[in-house]
């Protein structure tokens, strides 16, 4: 079973921008987003994919991703009743790892989250000075939750974990 092991962090500052090697705008929506599994459709540039994650909103989950035709993804967006996530993903390589830094737009404008994928939950990884508080265990930072409760609606307490 393919697994995604991913940790999420807030950022202390914008120093990471100088190290970004590429950026790509993405739109994604959720056809289903329950407690046990989510089904996501994403368009990134001229590519589209259908993604299924199971195991809850935790660091290690089962993940399946399948490329689909761009036209199909656009049609599937109509099934995403909660709305879409709009973000730019920036790639920052560091010490043999890649940080994916998602800069959100629209209803989640102002939110920036760094993610790093690991081979093992206990794996060590570089922690640059710009990396802030870990939010892996806070469900509100997961995209499937941001669709339902966007950053613009967060209280000041929610914005400062």
């Amino acid at each position: 079973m393919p697994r995604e092991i991913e940790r999420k962090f807030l950022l202390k500052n914008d120093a990471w921008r100088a190290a970004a090697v590429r950026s790509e705008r993405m739109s994604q929506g959720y056809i289903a987003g329950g407690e046990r599994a989510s089904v996501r459709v994403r368009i990134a540039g001229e590519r589209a994919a259908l993604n299924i994650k199971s195991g809850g909103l935790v660091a290690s989950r089962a993940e399946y991703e399948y490329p689909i035709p761009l036209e199909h993804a656009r049609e599937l967006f109509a099934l995403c009743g909660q709305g879409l996530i709009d973000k730019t993903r920036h790639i920052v390589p560091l010490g043999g790892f890649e940080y994916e830094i998602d800069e959100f737009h629209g209803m989640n404008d102002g939110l920036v989250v760094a993610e790093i994928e690991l081979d093992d939950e206990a794996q060590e990884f570089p922690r640059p000075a710009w990396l802030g508080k870990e939010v892996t265990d806070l469900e509100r930072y997961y995209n499937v939750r941001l669709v339902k409760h966007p950053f613009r609606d967060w209280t000041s307490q929610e914005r400062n974990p």
Side-chain angles (χ1 to χ4, degrees), residues 100-142:
E100 296 176 342
I101 300 178
D102 288 343
E103 185 173 14
F104 292 85
H105 310 292
M107 295 181 354
N108 292 295
D109 193 50
L111 180 61
V112 183
V113 176
E115 300 176 349
I116 187 167
E117 289 197 18
L118 304 170
D119 295 325
D120 179 287
E121 285 188 61
Q123 184 177 8
E124 293 295 319
F125 57 93
R127 294 176 188 251
W130 43 260
L131 198 66
K133 178 178 175 52
E134 183 166 6
V135 293
T136 303
D137 294 330
L138 298 176
E139 289 187 6
R140 67 181 169 272
Y141 288 96
Y142 285 79

Side-chain angles (χ1 to χ4, degrees), residues 50-83:
L50 191 63
N51 174 285
I52 303 163
K53 292 185 183 185
S54 67
L57 300 177
V58 293
S60 179
R61 313 182 271 182
E63 179 181 38
Y64 307 89
E65 186 159 296
Y66 307 98
I68 61 173
L70 196 56
E71 311 79 55
H72 292 188
R74 288 187 182 117
E75 291 172 13
L76 288 170
F77 275 170
L79 300 177
C80 301
Q82 298 286 330

